[in-house]
């Protein structure tokens, strides 16, 4: 298993490019299954989760064609089997996103039921109930969700999400795009990735209104056609590099990103003392060598502060001036990084869903272990500010969501290297 070695204490300074959004690319790839012709998706990030999705397509008999710029052309008409096997689903929960498109387009699907994961129990009951509301018959048997559309295809439905779910909203929106009649999704997720997926579906010919609000209306169409689409920038990668620069007292300019999709994060960074400037597709953060000030925050669905940025802000608070309370309301077990940071000298108290972080004057390098994707990112940030060397184990987690992290951080002046293990 590869490890990262980071020698901390260097102020980040420089310019890098932000990659396409993982959490937008995954549903968009799944949505290509709805088309009745070839579809091209561009600006895909080069990440392990994207490779897993492409491997899943390969298992189903679809061979995506990848060009040198990592645009992928997919022709779903070559599909041979409608099964997403457990070996793949257990490595990537987002595989559940093929369920809605397969039932809508091909009338049936068998998708392994994802289990719990390092950040919580993460049930998929809403995905199942949404499809049932559209007339699908669903049985869970031997660890698989076996779904069948009714005679004549899925029917449009009114569906209320009793918890806001990002991939749940995406799955049902994709299914509704090819259903008979109108669907109305209430208490829908408003994340920018849901809007990006809706725009992709619209580019294929879907009729969707209200994406980005909590009520999405979809008028099903008979067929969805070819399209060429560019995935939006990754707001969590953007936020992660901004926090890394802020924690080290440095400066960073991020290109090919979008300042309008992470306002809650930018606000918290300003509160921590960062100077932030931005243009249409760039953001620059400058701490002018200052130590950040601790901030209080509470995660919640978009447009509130994202759970996927919580761990990184725990790192920021860990070396900030003062004490900050971090409340996690989306997942029940998303504080695993805290215990690793404590090994580096962080002063953090966890009580229920709250971590109270008192900034230490200095963290110290130590061997630590990554437990999930965003936890790994937070340990990288802690390592960048710590005195001495930090060895981060299990960094396969980070390769799921951060494209070329060593190269990007090296470009900003960090001392980071990967050691095969
Ligand atoms: N939930 C249910 N029932 C469901 C679905 C969700 O109770 O059927 C609950 C979950 O257990 C959780 C809450 O609803 O407590 C929100 O979960 P959501 O369904 O929104 O999460 P997700 O769609 O599985 C996506 C991202 C996550 C991100 C969350 C929250 C993708 C592929 N994944 O997950 O990203 O944390 O939304 O914003 O879009 C990451 O990138 O590191 C990551 C974990």
């Amino acid at each position: 298993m590869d490890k990262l070695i980071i020698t901390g204490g260097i102020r980040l300074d420089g310019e890098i490019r932000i990659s396409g959004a993982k959490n937008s690319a995954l549903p968009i790839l799944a949505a290509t299954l709805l088309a009745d012709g070839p579809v091209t998706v561009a600006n895909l990030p080069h990440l392990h989760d994207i490779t897993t999705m492409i491997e899943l397509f390969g298992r189903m008999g679809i061979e995506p064609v990848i060009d040198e710029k990592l645009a992928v052309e997919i022709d779903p008409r070559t599909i041979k089997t409608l099964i997403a096997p457990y070996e793949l689903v257990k490595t990537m929960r987002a595989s559940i996103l093929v369920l809605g498109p397969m039932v809508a387009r091909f009338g049936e699907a068998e998708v392994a039921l994802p289990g719990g994961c390092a950040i919580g129990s993460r049930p998929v009951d809403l995905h199942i109930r949404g499809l049932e509301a559209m007339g699908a018959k669903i049985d869970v048997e031997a660890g698989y969700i076996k779904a069948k559309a009714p005679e004549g295809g899925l029917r449009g439905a009114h569906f209320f999400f009793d918890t806001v779910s990002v991939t749940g909203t995406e799955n049902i929106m994709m299914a509704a795009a090819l259903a008979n009649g109108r669907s109305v999704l209430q208490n829908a997720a408003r994340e920018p990735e849901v809007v990006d997926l809706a725009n992709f579906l619209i580019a294929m010919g879907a009729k969707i209104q209200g994406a980005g609000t909590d009520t999405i209306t979809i008028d099903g169409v008979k067929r969805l056609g070819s399209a060429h689409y560019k995935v939006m920038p990754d707001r969590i990668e953007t936020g992660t590099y901004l926090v890394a620069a802020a924690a080290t007292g440095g400066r960073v300019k991020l290109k090919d990103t979008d300042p309008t999709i992470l306002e809650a994060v930018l606000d918290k960074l300003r509160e921590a003392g960062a100077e932030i400037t931005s243009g249409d597709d760039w953001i620059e953060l400058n701490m002018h060598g200052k130590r950040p000030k601790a901030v209080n925050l509470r995660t919640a669905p978009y447009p509130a502060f994202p759970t996927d940025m919580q761990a990184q802000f725990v790192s920021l608070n860990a070396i900030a001036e003062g004490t900050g309370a971090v409340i996690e309301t989306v997942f029940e077990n998303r504080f695993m990084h805290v215990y690793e940071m404590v090994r580096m000298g962080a002063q953090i108290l966890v009580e229920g869903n709250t971590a109270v972080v008192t900034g230490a004057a200095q963290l110290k390098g130590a061997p630590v272990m990554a437990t999930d994707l965003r936890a790994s990112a937070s340990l990288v940030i802690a390592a960048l500010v710590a005195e001495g060397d930090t060895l981060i184990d299990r960094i396969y987690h980070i390769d799921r969501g951060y494209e070329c992290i060593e190269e990007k951080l090296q470009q900003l002046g960090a001392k980071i290297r990967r050691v095969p293990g």
Side-chain angles (χ1 to χ4, degrees), residues 342-368:
V342 167
R343 305 193 62 256
M344 301 173 71
Q347 293 169 36
I348 310 173
L349 203 76
V350 175
E351 180 65 48
N353 68 347
T354 304
V356 179
V357 191
T358 302
Q362 182 69 64
L363 296 182
K364 295 218 163 56
V368 290

Short mmCIF file of all heavy atoms in Angstrom, two decimals, residues 342-368:
data_model
loop_
_atom_site.label_atom_id
_atom_site.label_comp_id
_atom_site.label_asym_id
_atom_site.label_seq_id
_atom_site.Cartn_x
_atom_site.Cartn_y
_atom_site.Cartn_z
N VAL A 342 -4.96 13.87 16.77
CA VAL A 342 -4.55 13.93 18.17
C VAL A 342 -3.15 13.31 18.31
O VAL A 342 -2.32 13.77 19.10
CB VAL A 342 -5.60 13.21 19.07
CG1 VAL A 342 -5.06 12.96 20.47
CG2 VAL A 342 -6.88 14.05 19.12
N ARG A 343 -2.84 12.29 17.48
CA ARG A 343 -1.50 11.68 17.50
C ARG A 343 -0.44 12.69 17.06
O ARG A 343 0.74 12.50 17.28
CB ARG A 343 -1.45 10.45 16.60
CG ARG A 343 -2.53 9.41 16.97
CD ARG A 343 -2.33 8.07 16.32
NE ARG A 343 -1.09 7.48 16.75
CZ ARG A 343 0.00 7.41 16.03
NH1 ARG A 343 0.01 7.86 14.80
NH2 ARG A 343 1.08 6.87 16.52
N MET A 344 -0.87 13.76 16.39
CA MET A 344 0.08 14.78 15.95
C MET A 344 0.11 15.97 16.92
O MET A 344 0.68 17.01 16.60
CB MET A 344 -0.30 15.26 14.54
CG MET A 344 -0.31 14.14 13.51
SD MET A 344 -0.94 14.68 11.89
CE MET A 344 0.42 15.71 11.34
N GLY A 345 -0.59 15.83 18.02
CA GLY A 345 -0.56 16.90 19.03
C GLY A 345 -1.76 17.83 18.98
O GLY A 345 -1.79 18.84 19.69
N ALA A 346 -2.78 17.49 18.19
CA ALA A 346 -3.97 18.36 18.13
C ALA A 346 -4.77 18.22 19.42
O ALA A 346 -4.78 17.15 20.04
CB ALA A 346 -4.83 17.99 16.94
N GLN A 347 -5.44 19.32 19.80
CA GLN A 347 -6.26 19.29 21.02
C GLN A 347 -7.73 19.32 20.63
O GLN A 347 -8.28 20.38 20.31
CB GLN A 347 -5.92 20.50 21.89
CG GLN A 347 -4.51 20.44 22.43
CD GLN A 347 -4.11 21.75 23.05
OE1 GLN A 347 -4.92 22.44 23.67
NE2 GLN A 347 -2.86 22.14 22.87
N ILE A 348 -8.32 18.12 20.59
CA ILE A 348 -9.70 18.01 20.08
C ILE A 348 -10.50 17.12 21.02
O ILE A 348 -10.04 16.05 21.40
CB ILE A 348 -9.73 17.41 18.66
CG1 ILE A 348 -8.76 18.14 17.73
CG2 ILE A 348 -11.15 17.45 18.08
CD1 ILE A 348 -8.60 17.54 16.36
N LEU A 349 -11.70 17.59 21.32
CA LEU A 349 -12.60 16.83 22.18
C LEU A 349 -13.85 16.52 21.36
O LEU A 349 -14.46 17.45 20.82
CB LEU A 349 -12.98 17.75 23.35
CG LEU A 349 -13.44 17.06 24.61
CD1 LEU A 349 -12.22 16.48 25.32
CD2 LEU A 349 -14.13 18.09 25.49
N VAL A 350 -14.20 15.24 21.25
CA VAL A 350 -15.42 14.91 20.50
C VAL A 350 -16.50 14.54 21.49
O VAL A 350 -16.29 13.72 22.39
CB VAL A 350 -15.17 13.73 19.52
CG1 VAL A 350 -16.48 13.32 18.84
CG2 VAL A 350 -14.14 14.12 18.46
N GLU A 351 -17.66 15.17 21.31
CA GLU A 351 -18.81 14.86 22.17
C GLU A 351 -20.01 14.74 21.21
O GLU A 351 -20.44 15.74 20.64
CB GLU A 351 -18.99 16.03 23.16
CG GLU A 351 -20.12 15.91 24.12
CD GLU A 351 -19.96 14.74 25.09
OE1 GLU A 351 -18.89 14.59 25.68
OE2 GLU A 351 -20.94 13.98 25.23
N GLY A 352 -20.49 13.51 21.02
CA GLY A 352 -21.59 13.30 20.07
C GLY A 352 -21.18 13.74 18.68
O GLY A 352 -20.15 13.31 18.16
N ASN A 353 -21.97 14.63 18.09
CA ASN A 353 -21.66 15.06 16.72
C ASN A 353 -20.86 16.37 16.68
O ASN A 353 -20.84 17.05 15.66
CB ASN A 353 -22.94 15.17 15.88
CG ASN A 353 -23.83 16.32 16.34
OD1 ASN A 353 -23.63 16.87 17.41
ND2 ASN A 353 -24.80 16.68 15.53
N THR A 354 -20.21 16.70 17.81
CA THR A 354 -19.45 17.96 17.87
C THR A 354 -17.99 17.70 18.21
O THR A 354 -17.69 16.93 19.13
CB THR A 354 -20.06 18.89 18.95
OG1 THR A 354 -21.45 19.06 18.65
CG2 THR A 354 -19.38 20.25 18.98
N ALA A 355 -17.11 18.35 17.47
CA ALA A 355 -15.68 18.30 17.81
C ALA A 355 -15.28 19.71 18.24
O ALA A 355 -15.47 20.67 17.49
CB ALA A 355 -14.85 17.87 16.61
N VAL A 356 -14.79 19.81 19.46
CA VAL A 356 -14.33 21.12 19.95
C VAL A 356 -12.80 21.13 19.78
O VAL A 356 -12.10 20.31 20.35
CB VAL A 356 -14.73 21.33 21.42
CG1 VAL A 356 -14.21 22.68 21.92
CG2 VAL A 356 -16.24 21.26 21.55
N VAL A 357 -12.34 22.05 18.93
CA VAL A 357 -10.93 22.04 18.55
C VAL A 357 -10.25 23.30 19.10
O VAL A 357 -10.66 24.42 18.79
CB VAL A 357 -10.80 22.05 17.00
CG1 VAL A 357 -9.35 21.77 16.60
CG2 VAL A 357 -11.75 21.05 16.35
N THR A 358 -9.24 23.09 19.92
CA THR A 358 -8.47 24.23 20.44
C THR A 358 -7.14 24.24 19.70
O THR A 358 -6.39 23.26 19.72
CB THR A 358 -8.25 24.08 21.96
OG1 THR A 358 -9.55 23.99 22.56
CG2 THR A 358 -7.51 25.29 22.54
N GLY A 359 -6.87 25.33 19.03
CA GLY A 359 -5.66 25.40 18.20
C GLY A 359 -4.39 25.23 19.01
O GLY A 359 -4.25 25.84 20.08
N ALA A 360 -3.49 24.40 18.51
CA ALA A 360 -2.19 24.23 19.16
C ALA A 360 -1.20 25.15 18.44
O ALA A 360 -1.36 25.41 17.25
CB ALA A 360 -1.73 22.78 19.06
N ALA A 361 -0.18 25.61 19.16
CA ALA A 361 0.81 26.49 18.52
C ALA A 361 1.55 25.72 17.42
O ALA A 361 1.93 26.26 16.40
CB ALA A 361 1.79 26.99 19.57
N GLN A 362 1.70 24.41 17.62
CA GLN A 362 2.46 23.62 16.65
C GLN A 362 1.99 22.16 16.68
O GLN A 362 1.82 21.60 17.75
CB GLN A 362 3.95 23.70 17.04
CG GLN A 362 4.89 22.97 16.13
CD GLN A 362 5.00 23.63 14.77
OE1 GLN A 362 5.45 24.75 14.65
NE2 GLN A 362 4.55 22.95 13.72
N LEU A 363 1.75 21.56 15.51
CA LEU A 363 1.51 20.11 15.45
C LEU A 363 2.86 19.45 15.19
O LEU A 363 3.78 20.08 14.67
CB LEU A 363 0.53 19.77 14.32
CG LEU A 363 -0.89 20.31 14.44
CD1 LEU A 363 -1.73 19.83 13.25
CD2 LEU A 363 -1.55 19.85 15.74
N LYS A 364 2.95 18.15 15.52
CA LYS A 364 4.23 17.44 15.30
C LYS A 364 3.99 16.25 14.39
O LYS A 364 3.02 15.50 14.56
CB LYS A 364 4.77 16.95 16.65
CG LYS A 364 5.12 18.10 17.58
CD LYS A 364 6.37 17.79 18.38
CE LYS A 364 7.00 19.02 19.00
NZ LYS A 364 6.10 19.79 19.86
N GLY A 365 4.88 16.07 13.43
CA GLY A 365 4.78 14.95 12.49
C GLY A 365 4.70 13.62 13.22
O GLY A 365 5.30 13.46 14.28
N ALA A 366 3.91 12.67 12.68
CA ALA A 366 3.77 11.34 13.29
C ALA A 366 3.28 10.39 12.21
O ALA A 366 2.73 10.84 11.21
CB ALA A 366 2.76 11.41 14.43
N PRO A 367 3.43 9.08 12.39
CA PRO A 367 2.79 8.16 11.45
C PRO A 367 1.29 8.17 11.70
O PRO A 367 0.86 8.05 12.85
CB PRO A 367 3.40 6.79 11.80
CG PRO A 367 4.30 6.99 12.96
CD PRO A 367 4.20 8.40 13.44
N VAL A 368 0.48 8.35 10.65
CA VAL A 368 -0.98 8.36 10.82
C VAL A 368 -1.61 7.53 9.70
O VAL A 368 -0.96 7.18 8.72
CB VAL A 368 -1.57 9.80 10.78
CG1 VAL A 368 -1.20 10.58 12.02
CG2 VAL A 368 -1.16 10.54 9.52
#
